[in-house]
Amino acid sequence: MNALRTAPAPLNRPKLARFLWDRDLGYAAAGEHLGRSGEWVRLVCLPFDDPRRRIPDADDMARIHAWTLGEVTPADFYRPELTGREGDAP
């Protein structure tokens, strides 16, 4: 495990957090790929119950979907119990 990892464990977070964790990518690196700031990526990766969390707009979701080669979809930014999809929650 990388001691310098900047992204926290992806439990109870949108699937983008798991995508970054699995690839040992930080928020700033993801932001560069997505044309957004590292802070923006951090905000969309916050836990589902965090009131500061942001949901990407349609254009951002399209960029995320393309960059992750379809691994992260718009539905992944909503609680799994709302979408009927299995999430990263324990």
Side-chain angles (χ1 to χ4, degrees):
M1 180 179 285
N2 182 348
L4 300 176
R5 183 182 303 275
T6 58
L11 299 177
N12 297 315
R13 295 172 184 266
K15 192 172 181 181
L16 181 59
R18 168 67 66 187
F19 182 89
L20 299 177
W21 176 268
D22 289 347
R23 288 157 184 79
D24 201 26
L25 290 171
Y27 298 135
E32 286 181 26
H33 288 284
L34 297 170
R36 292 300 225 140
S37 69
E39 176 63 8
W40 180 87
V41 176
R42 185 187 75 78
L43 290 172
V44 301
C45 289
L46 286 172
F48 289 117
D49 61 351
D50 191 314
R52 297 168 298 161
R53 187 173 77 88
R54 300 291 178 257
I55 297 174
D57 65 22
D59 291 337
D60 289 322
M61 284 190 190
R63 278 195 294 279
I64 291 166
H65 188 259
W67 178 58
T68 63
L69 302 176
E71 195 170 324
V72 179
T73 68
D76 295 319
F77 287 95
Y78 299 94
R79 291 179 175 276
E81 62 269 20
L82 297 177
T83 62
R85 299 176 71 165
E86 208 171 301
D88 292 322

